[in-house]
Every structure is written in structure tokens, then in C-alpha cells.
Amino acid sequence: MTSKPSKDSALKRRFGPAALITGASDGIGRAFATQLAEHGFDLILVARRGDVLQDMALDLGTRFGADVRVLAMDLSDPSAVPDLLSVTESAPVGLVVAAAGFGSIGPFLDQDMASEINMVDLNCRSVVELSYGFGQRMSASKRGGIVLFSSLVGFNGAPLSATYAATKGFVQSFAEGIAAEMRPHGVSVLSVAPGPVGTGFAARAGMQMGQAATPEMVAHASLGALGRKTTVRPGFLAKFLGWSLAMLPRWGRVRVMGIIMKGMTGKEVTVRK
Ligand SMILES: NC(=O)C1=CN([C@@H]2O[C@H](COP(=O)(O)OP(=O)(O)OC[C@H]3O[C@@H](n4cnc5c(N)ncnc54)[C@H](OP(=O)(O)O)[C@@H]3O)[C@@H](O)[C@H]2O)C=CC1
Ligand SMILES: N[C@@H](C=O)C(=O)O
């Protein structure tokens, strides 16, 4: 049985004792959960697959001595975040990582509208509700951190992933706004904007992604940026494309994004100025 680290890390001293992670059962959220347990955090893990979360709780408890609580819920359900806020009212959560999310790819008019709206509910609405609920608690105690997930595709329109990219653009803009508002209250907000990351995301979205970063690298880079930056672009591709695209006019950025997304599907797209 591995006990907790003998000395709390600086991260735990600043944002602990507990972290709540949504999307914790897989991918980037799972990587955050492991790394935060390694830092000595207790955890509240949120996703739909409660069985997977229970296995994680056992594993992280055994390996790092973390006290892990599991909340199995569908965050796209309008009642989910109010319920989550209610059952965590007395939990000492100093850090929220809102990783739950999914994407889609292909012509907008070919998409299933119910699924696109579900994506907006999960990627946007639940993020606003979580940030509001925990932002209030953290501001009251003058400390805390909120990690949100934008994307390389969140900085302008992306043909063939129009709704998903727009949800990421929403998160990017929202994170920048609340970061400025909450900083004076001792609360750090970070937007994580990676390029492709090798997780279950691609399979669910129907994307073929090359040159993918690892979720572990994304989590590590993000935890290093928390409290220091408002936006972090983990990985070479995210940085390279981010800065090179910034030099183009907006219509040019949209055109390049269309080419990138076409590469992820192989579908043709015509982008006009
Ligand atoms: N992978 C990538 O290339 C990139 C990802 N991102 C962003 O990073 C974040 C994490 O993505 P990633 O880890 O790659 O994706 P994964 O698909 O690997 O993991 C998504 C996580 O979200 C959970 N989840 C999905 N739907 C719901 C729901 N309705 N309610 C609660 N939990 C849900 C899943 O758990 P369960 O199924 O058990 O509910 C899973 O734990 C997302 O916001 C994504 O937009 C940004 C840029 C690039
Ligand atoms: N994988 C996608 C997530 O945002 C992307 O990089 O386009």
C-alpha cells in the first residue's frame, strides 16, 4: 500500500486538498487524475462510466494513498451539475478540471442535430455551470484553480467540425473572461488548447489524427502552466500551428483549418472568403 507523499507538493499547497475532475474515466482527464493523485491530492472523479471510475479509485488509492470519491453522471443532463454542486458542497475542492467533452467531424448539415446539441450542452453549458458554482466557492475562500479545455480548433471557424470548434471557441473566450475576473479573488483559470491528443476522443468523433500528443504530456504541461498563464498550448503542433496561423487573415485561418479537418476525414470542403 503506497501512502501519500510525505511532503505536500507546491501544487497541493496552492490548490489542494481535493481536486474534482470531470471526464476522469479516460484520456486527458484520467491523466490529470493520476498526476494530481501523485501530487497528494484527494480526488472527486466524474464521468458516466462509474465502474471505470471505481477501478481508478481503487488503483489511485492503492498507489498514492489518495482518498477518491466517484460521481457517475451524464453532465449533458441539465440536472447533473446542480446535483454535483449539491453533493460536493462541503468537499474541500481547490481545483476543478473540466475535461468532459466530445467532438464531431463532417459537414454540419450531415450531423445529427440532437448529438450536436448534446455536445453544446456538455462542452459549454456544463462548463459554465461548474465554473459558476466552484468559482463562487473559490472566490469566497480567496484561492483555487479552474482548468477548462479549448483546442487548437477553438481560435477560429473550422469547416467540417463547425459545431465542435465553436464549442471550443466558446470555452476559450469564456476562460479568458473569467480568468481576468477571478484573478483578483485568488482564483486561477487556465484554458488548455492542445492540438491532436491520442485518446478516445478521435474514435468518438470519427477523426483520424496523426502526430498526436500524449494525454500525460498535456496534463503535465497544463499543471505547470496553472496559475502562471491563462492559455497553454501543450505540444509542438499546437504551438506551431497556433503561432503560424496567427499571422494569417481570419479567412486564411479558416481555409487552413478546413484543410486540416479534411485531413482528419478525407472529405472535400470548399471555403470561400
Ligand atoms: N483528444 C484531443 O485531440 C483533444 C481534446 N481536447 C479536449 O480535451 C477534453 C478531453 O478530451 P479527451 O480526454 O481527449 O477525450 P476522451 O474521449 O478520451 O475522454 C472524454 C472524457 O469525458 C467523459 N464524458 C464524455 N461524455 C460525457 C458526459 N456526457 N458526461 C460526463 N462525462 C462525459 C468520458 O467518460 P465517460 O464516457 O465515462 O462518460 C471521458 O472520461 C475535451 O474537452 C476535448 O474537447 C482538446 C483538443 C484536442
Ligand atoms: N482533436 C481535435 C480536438 O480538438 C483537434 O485537434 O482538432
Side-chain angles (χ1 to χ4, degrees):
M1 170 85 171
T2 313
S3 60
K4 274 186 178 301
S6 55
K7 199 161 116 5
D8 281 348
S9 72
L11 198 74
K12 167 122 186 250
R13 288 195 300 275
R14 186 168 178 188
F15 298 108
L20 180 136
I21 302 148
T22 74
S25 64
D26 209 343
I28 300 170
R30 187 182 189 111
F32 267 93
T34 305
Q35 292 181 23
L36 288 169
E38 222 166 349
H39 277 281
F41 280 76
D42 292 328
L43 304 173
I44 300 175
L45 306 180
V46 185
R48 293 167 300 177
R49 287 171 286 176
D51 55 341
V52 174
L53 294 177
Q54 290 297 355
D55 291 344
M56 281 181 68
L58 197 58
D59 173 54
L60 296 176
T62 306
R63 287 165 61 194
F64 306 110
D67 177 22
V68 184
R69 190 173 160 195
V70 166
L71 295 178
M73 54 174 59
D74 179 345
L75 289 170
S76 67
D77 182 316
S79 67
V81 174
D83 289 349
L84 184 156
L85 291 171
S86 168
V87 299
T88 60
E89 196 164 5
S90 56
V93 173
L95 177 60
V96 170
V97 178
F102 73 96
S104 66
I105 194 156
F108 171 64
L109 296 179
D110 293 352
Q111 300 302 316
D112 172 74
M113 182 43 59
S115 179
E116 297 285 277
I117 294 301
N118 185 261
M119 184 198 311
V120 174
D121 279 338
L122 180 66
N123 294 8
C124 301
R125 186 184 48 73
S126 78
V127 166
V128 170
E129 288 181 314
L130 280 166
S131 302
Y132 185 82
F134 283 102
Q136 284 194 324
R137 295 175 190 176
M138 292 172 180
S139 299
S141 54
K142 295 281 180 225
R143 67 188 287 274
I146 297 172
V147 178
L148 304 181
F149 288 81
S150 170
S151 162
L152 166 68
V153 303
F155 293 87
N156 47 253
L160 291 179
S161 197
T163 308
Y164 170 67
T167 69
K168 296 291 116 173
F170 174 93
V171 172
Q172 182 61 37
S173 174
F174 176 68
E176 290 168 355
I178 63 170
E181 286 189 26
M182 293 192 191
R183 192 174 300 118
H185 300 285
V187 180
S188 301
V189 177
L190 177 71
S191 173
V192 180
V197 186
T199 67
F201 177 94
R204 183 170 177 186
M207 291 182 182
Q208 289 96 37
M209 294 193 302
Q211 297 176 349
T214 66
E216 292 75 17
M217 182 281 289
V218 172
H220 181 74
S222 302
L223 291 174
L226 182 61
R228 295 187 175 86
K229 297 180 175 179
T230 298
T231 299
V232 63
R233 297 170 182 259
F236 168 75
L237 191 59
K239 292 181 177 67
F240 173 73
L241 278 176
W243 304 133
S244 48
L245 285 173
M247 292 184 281
L248 295 176
R250 195 165 182 96
W251 64 266
R253 300 205 296 269
V254 172
R255 179 163 296 186
V256 171
M257 268 300 149
I259 294 164
I260 291 172
M261 300 324 284
K262 173 177 171 295
M264 289 189 183
T265 58
K267 289 192 172 71
E268 198 44 52
V269 61
T270 306
V271 179
R272 292 183 179 74
K273 279 187 185 179

